[in-house]
Amino acid sequence: MSSTSQKHKEFVAEPMGEKLVNALAGIGEVLGKRLEEKGFDKAYVVLGQFLVLKKDEELFRDWLKDTCGANVKQQGDCYGCLREWCDSFL
Amino acid sequence: MAALRNKSDQEIKDLLNEYGIKHGPLVDTTRPLYEKKLKEAMAKAKVPVTKPSPDRTFYREDQEEVTYVTYQTPVRSEGPSGDGKPYMRSRPEYSERDRVDDKPYSRSRPEYSERDRVDDKPYSRSRPEYSERDRVDDKPYSRSRPEYSERDRVDDKLYSRSRPEYSSGRPYVDEPHVYNTLSSSSYSKPTPVVKSGGGVVKKENTTSSGRLIPLWIQFLVFLILAGFLYFIFTNMESAESSPFNRIQ
């Protein structure tokens, strides 16, 4: 039942390159700003964090919640987006 | 152990391993997360599972409670919150289990819907419990609902001696008795003999409330009942056959 959003589809379709953190599924303007303030200004930095957390869902969700206050759905979207991207390109 | 901040990376890692928390490398960005996790784990560890089971006598259940609390994972959780709140969950369970074991025969339904008692009650479980969960182990007979609905009534009248069913000429008059005695063995004895509507046999299974009838007594009663019914059946047959002979 987890239908992926347009954002998700666009993100996982190609290498992320220099995309901003807003391009991640689940990360909108508000969350994007918070992440940028913490130093995660590009999508690949968040990817880096995702990888450092060993791609573990729970850890990543917790981290996302702590860092930018994402709710459960947003956490899930972002995690799914990154995981699928990694499956394709990593 | 309050100053997690001041610990070295290695110490944090050791602590994480100690609490069994899965973790990745300890970096600048991951450290606050792990510190937070450690804090939560330490707070949880401080609250030991000291549930003084108020007035229960089922030790097996206590053990069950303890084991899955220490796992810190909702092993058998029906609780709404999925994350590690075993303590909160255990409390309502106790209050429900309380009723469960005190009244083996008057099982009110909502309790069973919360918990199913596997071990010590081989018979009579109320309906919703089965509809929600299927317990394979101790119920060799099927769990279809109509059966339970019958059984439900059976067990209710088990100890309340009012049996209006017997006065009415229902073919299932004797079945409740059969069920009663069979309560832990198979159901599938419809006893076609019953149709003849013979015995209003009242096997008074008077058991004290709160005490289970030993199994062998039930079997004995059943055998007596079956023998009696057979006797009646045989007699009836002979009665029918005799007029036939006379006519000829």
Side-chain angles (χ1 to χ4, degrees), chain B residues 61 64-65 68 75-78 89-90 92-94 96-97 100 109-118 125-126 129-130 132-133 135:
Chain B
E61 290 179 34
E64 281 176 7
E65 269 304 295
Y68 88 77
V75 176
R76 288 209 271 168
S77 70
E78 5 339 73
R89 234 176 287 118
S90 57
E93 281 168 358
Y94 276 104
E96 258 137 43
R97 286 219 226 140
V100 169
R109 290 206 193 124
E111 296 156 357
Y112 279 102
S113 64
E114 289 284 320
R115 238 6 206 168
D116 34 349
R117 301 299 319 138
V118 182
R125 307 275 157 93
S126 56
E129 175 192 19
Y130 285 110
E132 283 176 22
R133 287 216 187 181
R135 303 292 320 152

PDB file of all heavy atoms in Angstrom, chain B residues 61 64-65 68 75-78 89-90 92-94 96-97 100 109-118 125-126 129-130 132-133 135:
ATOM      1  N   GLU B  61       2.358 -17.688  34.460  1.00  0.00           N
ATOM      2  CA  GLU B  61       2.114 -16.419  33.781  1.00  0.00           C
ATOM      3  C   GLU B  61       3.137 -15.398  34.188  1.00  0.00           C
ATOM      4  O   GLU B  61       3.556 -14.592  33.395  1.00  0.00           O
ATOM      5  CB  GLU B  61       0.728 -15.923  34.113  1.00  0.00           C
ATOM      6  CG  GLU B  61      -0.313 -16.777  33.467  1.00  0.00           C
ATOM      7  CD  GLU B  61      -1.678 -16.274  33.822  1.00  0.00           C
ATOM      8  OE1 GLU B  61      -1.831 -15.062  33.964  1.00  0.00           O
ATOM      9  OE2 GLU B  61      -2.553 -17.107  33.988  1.00  0.00           O
ATOM     10  N   GLU B  64       6.095 -15.810  32.235  1.00  0.00           N
ATOM     11  CA  GLU B  64       5.909 -15.334  30.872  1.00  0.00           C
ATOM     12  C   GLU B  64       6.079 -13.836  30.820  1.00  0.00           C
ATOM     13  O   GLU B  64       6.693 -13.291  29.940  1.00  0.00           O
ATOM     14  CB  GLU B  64       4.528 -15.694  30.367  1.00  0.00           C
ATOM     15  CG  GLU B  64       4.418 -17.124  29.927  1.00  0.00           C
ATOM     16  CD  GLU B  64       3.003 -17.447  29.540  1.00  0.00           C
ATOM     17  OE1 GLU B  64       2.181 -16.520  29.501  1.00  0.00           O
ATOM     18  OE2 GLU B  64       2.717 -18.602  29.284  1.00  0.00           O
ATOM     19  N   GLU B  65       5.504 -13.188  31.772  1.00  0.00           N
ATOM     20  CA  GLU B  65       5.593 -11.741  31.801  1.00  0.00           C
ATOM     21  C   GLU B  65       7.036 -11.306  31.848  1.00  0.00           C
ATOM     22  O   GLU B  65       7.484 -10.485  31.086  1.00  0.00           O
ATOM     23  CB  GLU B  65       4.895 -11.195  33.054  1.00  0.00           C
ATOM     24  CG  GLU B  65       3.448 -10.884  32.834  1.00  0.00           C
ATOM     25  CD  GLU B  65       3.216  -9.925  31.716  1.00  0.00           C
ATOM     26  OE1 GLU B  65       3.631  -8.782  31.821  1.00  0.00           O
ATOM     27  OE2 GLU B  65       2.628 -10.339  30.721  1.00  0.00           O
ATOM     28  N   TYR B  68       9.263 -11.748  28.598  1.00  0.00           N
ATOM     29  CA  TYR B  68       9.218 -10.877  27.434  1.00  0.00           C
ATOM     30  C   TYR B  68       9.437  -9.434  27.781  1.00  0.00           C
ATOM     31  O   TYR B  68       9.609  -8.628  26.921  1.00  0.00           O
ATOM     32  CB  TYR B  68       7.968 -11.130  26.578  1.00  0.00           C
ATOM     33  CG  TYR B  68       6.730 -10.379  26.909  1.00  0.00           C
ATOM     34  CD1 TYR B  68       6.583  -9.067  26.549  1.00  0.00           C
ATOM     35  CD2 TYR B  68       5.655 -11.021  27.503  1.00  0.00           C
ATOM     36  CE1 TYR B  68       5.429  -8.400  26.811  1.00  0.00           C
ATOM     37  CE2 TYR B  68       4.499 -10.353  27.751  1.00  0.00           C
ATOM     38  CZ  TYR B  68       4.386  -9.045  27.411  1.00  0.00           C
ATOM     39  OH  TYR B  68       3.237  -8.395  27.650  1.00  0.00           O
ATOM     40  N   VAL B  75       7.002  -8.980  22.098  1.00  0.00           N
ATOM     41  CA  VAL B  75       6.910 -10.327  21.544  1.00  0.00           C
ATOM     42  C   VAL B  75       5.469 -10.694  21.300  1.00  0.00           C
ATOM     43  O   VAL B  75       5.065 -11.098  20.248  1.00  0.00           O
ATOM     44  CB  VAL B  75       7.531 -11.326  22.524  1.00  0.00           C
ATOM     45  CG1 VAL B  75       7.353 -12.725  22.025  1.00  0.00           C
ATOM     46  CG2 VAL B  75       9.016 -11.025  22.663  1.00  0.00           C
ATOM     47  N   ARG B  76       4.710 -10.555  22.345  1.00  0.00           N
ATOM     48  CA  ARG B  76       3.319 -10.891  22.188  1.00  0.00           C
ATOM     49  C   ARG B  76       2.483  -9.676  22.485  1.00  0.00           C
ATOM     50  O   ARG B  76       1.653  -9.694  23.348  1.00  0.00           O
ATOM     51  CB  ARG B  76       2.937 -12.006  23.147  1.00  0.00           C
ATOM     52  CG  ARG B  76       3.512 -13.310  22.743  1.00  0.00           C
ATOM     53  CD  ARG B  76       2.618 -14.379  23.213  1.00  0.00           C
ATOM     54  NE  ARG B  76       2.953 -14.808  24.558  1.00  0.00           N
ATOM     55  CZ  ARG B  76       2.184 -15.577  25.278  1.00  0.00           C
ATOM     56  NH1 ARG B  76       1.052 -15.954  24.795  1.00  0.00           N
ATOM     57  NH2 ARG B  76       2.522 -15.947  26.474  1.00  0.00           N
ATOM     58  N   SER B  77       2.764  -8.717  21.818  1.00  0.00           N
ATOM     59  CA  SER B  77       2.112  -7.496  22.227  1.00  0.00           C
ATOM     60  C   SER B  77       0.838  -7.286  21.471  1.00  0.00           C
ATOM     61  O   SER B  77       0.797  -7.393  20.264  1.00  0.00           O
ATOM     62  CB  SER B  77       3.022  -6.335  21.980  1.00  0.00           C
ATOM     63  OG  SER B  77       3.131  -6.131  20.599  1.00  0.00           O
ATOM     64  N   GLU B  78      -0.175  -6.991  22.211  1.00  0.00           N
ATOM     65  CA  GLU B  78      -1.301  -6.461  21.496  1.00  0.00           C
ATOM     66  C   GLU B  78      -1.416  -4.992  21.766  1.00  0.00           C
ATOM     67  O   GLU B  78      -2.367  -4.365  21.439  1.00  0.00           O
ATOM     68  CB  GLU B  78      -2.612  -7.096  21.842  1.00  0.00           C
ATOM     69  CG  GLU B  78      -2.838  -7.951  22.722  1.00  0.00           C
ATOM     70  CD  GLU B  78      -2.436  -8.958  23.584  1.00  0.00           C
ATOM     71  OE1 GLU B  78      -1.799  -8.583  24.534  1.00  0.00           O
ATOM     72  OE2 GLU B  78      -2.759 -10.067  23.357  1.00  0.00           O
ATOM     73  N   ARG B  89       2.553  -2.249  29.095  1.00  0.00           N
ATOM     74  CA  ARG B  89       1.631  -3.253  28.617  1.00  0.00           C
ATOM     75  C   ARG B  89       1.384  -4.304  29.665  1.00  0.00           C
ATOM     76  O   ARG B  89       0.320  -4.860  29.750  1.00  0.00           O
ATOM     77  CB  ARG B  89       2.216  -3.918  27.389  1.00  0.00           C
ATOM     78  CG  ARG B  89       1.275  -3.860  26.235  1.00  0.00           C
ATOM     79  CD  ARG B  89       1.895  -4.423  25.021  1.00  0.00           C
ATOM     80  NE  ARG B  89       2.889  -3.576  24.454  1.00  0.00           N
ATOM     81  CZ  ARG B  89       4.165  -3.901  24.326  1.00  0.00           C
ATOM     82  NH1 ARG B  89       4.594  -5.036  24.739  1.00  0.00           N
ATOM     83  NH2 ARG B  89       5.032  -3.083  23.794  1.00  0.00           N
ATOM     84  N   SER B  90       2.383  -4.588  30.429  1.00  0.00           N
ATOM     85  CA  SER B  90       2.203  -5.709  31.325  1.00  0.00           C
ATOM     86  C   SER B  90       1.157  -5.396  32.371  1.00  0.00           C
ATOM     87  O   SER B  90       0.485  -6.259  32.856  1.00  0.00           O
ATOM     88  CB  SER B  90       3.532  -6.049  31.979  1.00  0.00           C
ATOM     89  OG  SER B  90       4.010  -4.903  32.643  1.00  0.00           O
ATOM     90  N   PRO B  92      -1.853  -3.757  32.332  1.00  0.00           N
ATOM     91  CA  PRO B  92      -3.232  -4.144  32.048  1.00  0.00           C
ATOM     92  C   PRO B  92      -3.384  -5.646  31.916  1.00  0.00           C
ATOM     93  O   PRO B  92      -4.408  -6.193  32.238  1.00  0.00           O
ATOM     94  CB  PRO B  92      -3.556  -3.439  30.728  1.00  0.00           C
ATOM     95  CG  PRO B  92      -2.262  -2.933  30.233  1.00  0.00           C
ATOM     96  CD  PRO B  92      -1.332  -2.836  31.379  1.00  0.00           C
ATOM     97  N   GLU B  93      -2.345  -6.268  31.478  1.00  0.00           N
ATOM     98  CA  GLU B  93      -2.464  -7.707  31.335  1.00  0.00           C
ATOM     99  C   GLU B  93      -2.672  -8.357  32.672  1.00  0.00           C
ATOM    100  O   GLU B  93      -3.428  -9.283  32.819  1.00  0.00           O
ATOM    101  CB  GLU B  93      -1.219  -8.272  30.700  1.00  0.00           C
ATOM    102  CG  GLU B  93      -1.216  -8.059  29.218  1.00  0.00           C
ATOM    103  CD  GLU B  93       0.155  -8.374  28.677  1.00  0.00           C
ATOM    104  OE1 GLU B  93       1.033  -8.705  29.490  1.00  0.00           O
ATOM    105  OE2 GLU B  93       0.310  -8.286  27.477  1.00  0.00           O
ATOM    106  N   TYR B  94      -1.964  -7.875  33.633  1.00  0.00           N
ATOM    107  CA  TYR B  94      -2.122  -8.488  34.934  1.00  0.00           C
ATOM    108  C   TYR B  94      -3.525  -8.305  35.442  1.00  0.00           C
ATOM    109  O   TYR B  94      -4.116  -9.217  35.976  1.00  0.00           O
ATOM    110  CB  TYR B  94      -1.165  -7.862  35.936  1.00  0.00           C
ATOM    111  CG  TYR B  94       0.182  -8.486  35.883  1.00  0.00           C
ATOM    112  CD1 TYR B  94       1.240  -7.838  35.274  1.00  0.00           C
ATOM    113  CD2 TYR B  94       0.374  -9.754  36.407  1.00  0.00           C
ATOM    114  CE1 TYR B  94       2.472  -8.430  35.229  1.00  0.00           C
ATOM    115  CE2 TYR B  94       1.607 -10.331  36.352  1.00  0.00           C
ATOM    116  CZ  TYR B  94       2.660  -9.670  35.776  1.00  0.00           C
ATOM    117  OH  TYR B  94       3.879 -10.263  35.744  1.00  0.00           O
ATOM    118  N   GLU B  96      -6.038  -8.112  33.863  1.00  0.00           N
ATOM    119  CA  GLU B  96      -6.992  -8.953  33.179  1.00  0.00           C
ATOM    120  C   GLU B  96      -6.784 -10.403  33.506  1.00  0.00           C
ATOM    121  O   GLU B  96      -7.702 -11.168  33.638  1.00  0.00           O
ATOM    122  CB  GLU B  96      -6.890  -8.754  31.677  1.00  0.00           C
ATOM    123  CG  GLU B  96      -7.996  -7.878  31.222  1.00  0.00           C
ATOM    124  CD  GLU B  96      -7.477  -6.879  30.238  1.00  0.00           C
ATOM    125  OE1 GLU B  96      -6.710  -7.281  29.394  1.00  0.00           O
ATOM    126  OE2 GLU B  96      -7.847  -5.718  30.345  1.00  0.00           O
ATOM    127  N   ARG B  97      -5.557 -10.754  33.598  1.00  0.00           N
ATOM    128  CA  ARG B  97      -5.296 -12.130  33.895  1.00  0.00           C
ATOM    129  C   ARG B  97      -5.809 -12.490  35.250  1.00  0.00           C
ATOM    130  O   ARG B  97      -6.131 -13.628  35.506  1.00  0.00           O
ATOM    131  CB  ARG B  97      -3.812 -12.373  33.869  1.00  0.00           C
ATOM    132  CG  ARG B  97      -3.380 -12.378  32.452  1.00  0.00           C
ATOM    133  CD  ARG B  97      -2.374 -13.436  32.297  1.00  0.00           C
ATOM    134  NE  ARG B  97      -1.276 -12.915  31.552  1.00  0.00           N
ATOM    135  CZ  ARG B  97      -0.047 -13.193  31.834  1.00  0.00           C
ATOM    136  NH1 ARG B  97       0.222 -13.939  32.824  1.00  0.00           N
ATOM    137  NH2 ARG B  97       0.906 -12.711  31.123  1.00  0.00           N
ATOM    138  N   VAL B 100      -9.032 -13.887  34.927  1.00  0.00           N
ATOM    139  CA  VAL B 100      -8.978 -15.132  34.158  1.00  0.00           C
ATOM    140  C   VAL B 100      -8.820 -16.315  35.061  1.00  0.00           C
ATOM    141  O   VAL B 100      -9.578 -17.264  35.008  1.00  0.00           O
ATOM    142  CB  VAL B 100      -7.804 -15.080  33.186  1.00  0.00           C
ATOM    143  CG1 VAL B 100      -7.586 -16.425  32.596  1.00  0.00           C
ATOM    144  CG2 VAL B 100      -8.107 -14.075  32.113  1.00  0.00           C
ATOM    145  N   ARG B 109     -16.151 -12.341  28.730  1.00  0.00           N
ATOM    146  CA  ARG B 109     -15.538 -12.324  27.418  1.00  0.00           C
ATOM    147  C   ARG B 109     -14.416 -11.337  27.238  1.00  0.00           C
ATOM    148  O   ARG B 109     -13.410 -11.661  26.671  1.00  0.00           O
ATOM    149  CB  ARG B 109     -16.614 -12.038  26.377  1.00  0.00           C
ATOM    150  CG  ARG B 109     -17.511 -13.221  26.283  1.00  0.00           C
ATOM    151  CD  ARG B 109     -18.185 -13.369  24.986  1.00  0.00           C
ATOM    152  NE  ARG B 109     -19.230 -14.361  25.173  1.00  0.00           N
ATOM    153  CZ  ARG B 109     -20.494 -14.133  24.909  1.00  0.00           C
ATOM    154  NH1 ARG B 109     -20.842 -12.962  24.477  1.00  0.00           N
ATOM    155  NH2 ARG B 109     -21.383 -15.060  25.077  1.00  0.00           N
ATOM    156  N   PRO B 110     -14.564 -10.132  27.651  1.00  0.00           N
ATOM    157  CA  PRO B 110     -13.506  -9.163  27.305  1.00  0.00           C
ATOM    158  C   PRO B 110     -12.141  -9.569  27.796  1.00  0.00           C
ATOM    159  O   PRO B 110     -11.152  -9.253  27.175  1.00  0.00           O
ATOM    160  CB  PRO B 110     -13.970  -7.874  27.990  1.00  0.00           C
ATOM    161  CG  PRO B 110     -15.177  -8.214  28.756  1.00  0.00           C
ATOM    162  CD  PRO B 110     -15.710  -9.488  28.276  1.00  0.00           C
ATOM    163  N   GLU B 111     -12.103 -10.299  28.859  1.00  0.00           N
ATOM    164  CA  GLU B 111     -10.780 -10.657  29.343  1.00  0.00           C
ATOM    165  C   GLU B 111     -10.088 -11.573  28.366  1.00  0.00           C
ATOM    166  O   GLU B 111      -8.926 -11.441  28.091  1.00  0.00           O
ATOM    167  CB  GLU B 111     -10.893 -11.367  30.670  1.00  0.00           C
ATOM    168  CG  GLU B 111     -11.454 -10.462  31.718  1.00  0.00           C
ATOM    169  CD  GLU B 111     -12.106 -11.250  32.811  1.00  0.00           C
ATOM    170  OE1 GLU B 111     -12.157 -12.477  32.701  1.00  0.00           O
ATOM    171  OE2 GLU B 111     -12.594 -10.626  33.734  1.00  0.00           O
ATOM    172  N   TYR B 112     -10.839 -12.499  27.892  1.00  0.00           N
ATOM    173  CA  TYR B 112     -10.183 -13.432  26.995  1.00  0.00           C
ATOM    174  C   TYR B 112      -9.837 -12.777  25.700  1.00  0.00           C
ATOM    175  O   TYR B 112      -8.918 -13.175  25.039  1.00  0.00           O
ATOM    176  CB  TYR B 112     -11.084 -14.627  26.759  1.00  0.00           C
ATOM    177  CG  TYR B 112     -10.955 -15.562  27.904  1.00  0.00           C
ATOM    178  CD1 TYR B 112     -11.921 -15.604  28.884  1.00  0.00           C
ATOM    179  CD2 TYR B 112      -9.824 -16.331  28.010  1.00  0.00           C
ATOM    180  CE1 TYR B 112     -11.772 -16.445  29.952  1.00  0.00           C
ATOM    181  CE2 TYR B 112      -9.690 -17.153  29.085  1.00  0.00           C
ATOM    182  CZ  TYR B 112     -10.659 -17.210  30.045  1.00  0.00           C
ATOM    183  OH  TYR B 112     -10.509 -18.041  31.097  1.00  0.00           O
ATOM    184  N   SER B 113     -10.569 -11.814  25.367  1.00  0.00           N
ATOM    185  CA  SER B 113     -10.205 -11.168  24.120  1.00  0.00           C
ATOM    186  C   SER B 113      -8.857 -10.498  24.236  1.00  0.00           C
ATOM    187  O   SER B 113      -8.198 -10.242  23.267  1.00  0.00           O
ATOM    188  CB  SER B 113     -11.267 -10.145  23.747  1.00  0.00           C
ATOM    189  OG  SER B 113     -11.297  -9.117  24.714  1.00  0.00           O
ATOM    190  N   GLU B 114      -8.442 -10.229  25.463  1.00  0.00           N
ATOM    191  CA  GLU B 114      -7.135  -9.614  25.594  1.00  0.00           C
ATOM    192  C   GLU B 114      -6.036 -10.662  25.593  1.00  0.00           C
ATOM    193  O   GLU B 114      -5.008 -10.518  24.975  1.00  0.00           O
ATOM    194  CB  GLU B 114      -7.059  -8.858  26.921  1.00  0.00           C
ATOM    195  CG  GLU B 114      -7.900  -7.614  26.926  1.00  0.00           C
ATOM    196  CD  GLU B 114      -7.265  -6.506  26.159  1.00  0.00           C
ATOM    197  OE1 GLU B 114      -6.060  -6.339  26.244  1.00  0.00           O
ATOM    198  OE2 GLU B 114      -7.987  -5.816  25.427  1.00  0.00           O
ATOM    199  N   ARG B 115      -6.279 -11.688  26.304  1.00  0.00           N
ATOM    200  CA  ARG B 115      -5.214 -12.660  26.503  1.00  0.00           C
ATOM    201  C   ARG B 115      -5.771 -14.050  26.306  1.00  0.00           C
ATOM    202  O   ARG B 115      -6.862 -14.332  26.709  1.00  0.00           O
ATOM    203  CB  ARG B 115      -4.799 -12.564  27.930  1.00  0.00           C
ATOM    204  CG  ARG B 115      -3.436 -12.261  28.393  1.00  0.00           C
ATOM    205  CD  ARG B 115      -2.443 -11.907  27.489  1.00  0.00           C
ATOM    206  NE  ARG B 115      -1.206 -12.294  28.154  1.00  0.00           N
ATOM    207  CZ  ARG B 115      -0.059 -12.356  27.590  1.00  0.00           C
ATOM    208  NH1 ARG B 115       0.029 -12.084  26.412  1.00  0.00           N
ATOM    209  NH2 ARG B 115       1.011 -12.700  28.194  1.00  0.00           N
ATOM    210  N   ASP B 116      -5.003 -14.891  25.734  1.00  0.00           N
ATOM    211  CA  ASP B 116      -5.496 -16.261  25.735  1.00  0.00           C
ATOM    212  C   ASP B 116      -4.649 -17.091  26.667  1.00  0.00           C
ATOM    213  O   ASP B 116      -3.440 -17.036  26.632  1.00  0.00           O
ATOM    214  CB  ASP B 116      -5.490 -16.853  24.336  1.00  0.00           C
ATOM    215  CG  ASP B 116      -4.331 -16.322  23.550  1.00  0.00           C
ATOM    216  OD1 ASP B 116      -3.726 -15.381  24.028  1.00  0.00           O
ATOM    217  OD2 ASP B 116      -4.065 -16.829  22.483  1.00  0.00           O
ATOM    218  N   ARG B 117      -5.316 -17.820  27.445  1.00  0.00           N
ATOM    219  CA  ARG B 117      -4.638 -18.638  28.417  1.00  0.00           C
ATOM    220  C   ARG B 117      -4.356 -19.979  27.812  1.00  0.00           C
ATOM    221  O   ARG B 117      -5.250 -20.725  27.507  1.00  0.00           O
ATOM    222  CB  ARG B 117      -5.534 -18.811  29.649  1.00  0.00           C
ATOM    223  CG  ARG B 117      -5.890 -17.510  30.275  1.00  0.00           C
ATOM    224  CD  ARG B 117      -4.664 -16.805  30.728  1.00  0.00           C
ATOM    225  NE  ARG B 117      -3.762 -17.742  31.319  1.00  0.00           N
ATOM    226  CZ  ARG B 117      -2.446 -17.736  31.111  1.00  0.00           C
ATOM    227  NH1 ARG B 117      -1.920 -16.830  30.368  1.00  0.00           N
ATOM    228  NH2 ARG B 117      -1.685 -18.617  31.665  1.00  0.00           N
ATOM    229  N   VAL B 118      -3.160 -20.266  27.697  1.00  0.00           N
ATOM    230  CA  VAL B 118      -2.831 -21.519  27.038  1.00  0.00           C
ATOM    231  C   VAL B 118      -2.744 -22.652  28.023  1.00  0.00           C
ATOM    232  O   VAL B 118      -3.245 -23.729  27.806  1.00  0.00           O
ATOM    233  CB  VAL B 118      -1.473 -21.384  26.323  1.00  0.00           C
ATOM    234  CG1 VAL B 118      -1.140 -22.650  25.595  1.00  0.00           C
ATOM    235  CG2 VAL B 118      -1.551 -20.217  25.357  1.00  0.00           C
ATOM    236  N   ARG B 125     -13.218 -21.616  26.609  1.00  0.00           N
ATOM    237  CA  ARG B 125     -12.755 -20.259  26.424  1.00  0.00           C
ATOM    238  C   ARG B 125     -13.855 -19.516  25.725  1.00  0.00           C
ATOM    239  O   ARG B 125     -14.512 -20.049  24.871  1.00  0.00           O
ATOM    240  CB  ARG B 125     -11.541 -20.230  25.520  1.00  0.00           C
ATOM    241  CG  ARG B 125     -10.478 -21.154  25.991  1.00  0.00           C
ATOM    242  CD  ARG B 125      -9.626 -20.492  27.027  1.00  0.00           C
ATOM    243  NE  ARG B 125      -8.991 -21.507  27.825  1.00  0.00           N
ATOM    244  CZ  ARG B 125      -7.816 -21.985  27.568  1.00  0.00           C
ATOM    245  NH1 ARG B 125      -7.169 -21.553  26.535  1.00  0.00           N
ATOM    246  NH2 ARG B 125      -7.291 -22.892  28.318  1.00  0.00           N
ATOM    247  N   SER B 126     -13.970 -18.324  26.059  1.00  0.00           N
ATOM    248  CA  SER B 126     -15.087 -17.604  25.458  1.00  0.00           C
ATOM    249  C   SER B 126     -14.811 -17.271  24.007  1.00  0.00           C
ATOM    250  O   SER B 126     -13.710 -17.369  23.527  1.00  0.00           O
ATOM    251  CB  SER B 126     -15.361 -16.342  26.246  1.00  0.00           C
ATOM    252  OG  SER B 126     -14.175 -15.597  26.300  1.00  0.00           O
ATOM    253  N   GLU B 129     -12.150 -14.648  22.017  1.00  0.00           N
ATOM    254  CA  GLU B 129     -10.739 -14.989  22.067  1.00  0.00           C
ATOM    255  C   GLU B 129     -10.382 -15.811  20.859  1.00  0.00           C
ATOM    256  O   GLU B 129      -9.372 -15.593  20.226  1.00  0.00           O
ATOM    257  CB  GLU B 129     -10.493 -15.769  23.342  1.00  0.00           C
ATOM    258  CG  GLU B 129      -9.090 -16.257  23.412  1.00  0.00           C
ATOM    259  CD  GLU B 129      -8.951 -17.267  24.517  1.00  0.00           C
ATOM    260  OE1 GLU B 129      -9.957 -17.808  24.947  1.00  0.00           O
ATOM    261  OE2 GLU B 129      -7.823 -17.482  24.916  1.00  0.00           O
ATOM    262  N   TYR B 130     -11.202 -16.730  20.568  1.00  0.00           N
ATOM    263  CA  TYR B 130     -10.844 -17.573  19.443  1.00  0.00           C
ATOM    264  C   TYR B 130     -11.030 -16.855  18.151  1.00  0.00           C
ATOM    265  O   TYR B 130     -10.311 -17.083  17.209  1.00  0.00           O
ATOM    266  CB  TYR B 130     -11.682 -18.833  19.463  1.00  0.00           C
ATOM    267  CG  TYR B 130     -11.175 -19.730  20.518  1.00  0.00           C
ATOM    268  CD1 TYR B 130     -11.905 -19.971  21.655  1.00  0.00           C
ATOM    269  CD2 TYR B 130      -9.914 -20.283  20.378  1.00  0.00           C
ATOM    270  CE1 TYR B 130     -11.404 -20.779  22.640  1.00  0.00           C
ATOM    271  CE2 TYR B 130      -9.430 -21.067  21.375  1.00  0.00           C
ATOM    272  CZ  TYR B 130     -10.183 -21.321  22.503  1.00  0.00           C
ATOM    273  OH  TYR B 130      -9.684 -22.112  23.467  1.00  0.00           O
ATOM    274  N   GLU B 132     -10.316 -14.008  17.621  1.00  0.00           N
ATOM    275  CA  GLU B 132      -9.194 -13.110  17.376  1.00  0.00           C
ATOM    276  C   GLU B 132      -7.904 -13.857  17.159  1.00  0.00           C
ATOM    277  O   GLU B 132      -7.058 -13.461  16.403  1.00  0.00           O
ATOM    278  CB  GLU B 132      -9.023 -12.180  18.567  1.00  0.00           C
ATOM    279  CG  GLU B 132     -10.055 -11.084  18.547  1.00  0.00           C
ATOM    280  CD  GLU B 132      -9.914 -10.248  19.791  1.00  0.00           C
ATOM    281  OE1 GLU B 132      -8.833 -10.281  20.355  1.00  0.00           O
ATOM    282  OE2 GLU B 132     -10.875  -9.599  20.177  1.00  0.00           O
ATOM    283  N   ARG B 133      -7.753 -14.923  17.868  1.00  0.00           N
ATOM    284  CA  ARG B 133      -6.498 -15.644  17.738  1.00  0.00           C
ATOM    285  C   ARG B 133      -6.785 -17.103  17.549  1.00  0.00           C
ATOM    286  O   ARG B 133      -7.724 -17.631  18.091  1.00  0.00           O
ATOM    287  CB  ARG B 133      -5.725 -15.525  19.024  1.00  0.00           C
ATOM    288  CG  ARG B 133      -5.169 -14.169  19.186  1.00  0.00           C
ATOM    289  CD  ARG B 133      -3.877 -14.312  19.822  1.00  0.00           C
ATOM    290  NE  ARG B 133      -3.314 -13.030  20.183  1.00  0.00           N
ATOM    291  CZ  ARG B 133      -2.161 -12.952  20.740  1.00  0.00           C
ATOM    292  NH1 ARG B 133      -1.517 -14.049  21.006  1.00  0.00           N
ATOM    293  NH2 ARG B 133      -1.648 -11.804  21.037  1.00  0.00           N
ATOM    294  N   ARG B 135      -5.552 -20.533  18.637  1.00  0.00           N
ATOM    295  CA  ARG B 135      -4.657 -21.250  19.513  1.00  0.00           C
ATOM    296  C   ARG B 135      -4.631 -22.675  19.037  1.00  0.00           C
ATOM    297  O   ARG B 135      -5.598 -23.384  19.137  1.00  0.00           O
ATOM    298  CB  ARG B 135      -5.170 -21.189  20.946  1.00  0.00           C
ATOM    299  CG  ARG B 135      -5.348 -19.800  21.431  1.00  0.00           C
ATOM    300  CD  ARG B 135      -4.029 -19.147  21.577  1.00  0.00           C
ATOM    301  NE  ARG B 135      -3.094 -20.082  22.129  1.00  0.00           N
ATOM    302  CZ  ARG B 135      -1.789 -20.033  21.899  1.00  0.00           C
ATOM    303  NH1 ARG B 135      -1.311 -19.112  21.154  1.00  0.00           N
ATOM    304  NH2 ARG B 135      -0.985 -20.897  22.422  1.00  0.00           N
TER     305      ARG B 135
END
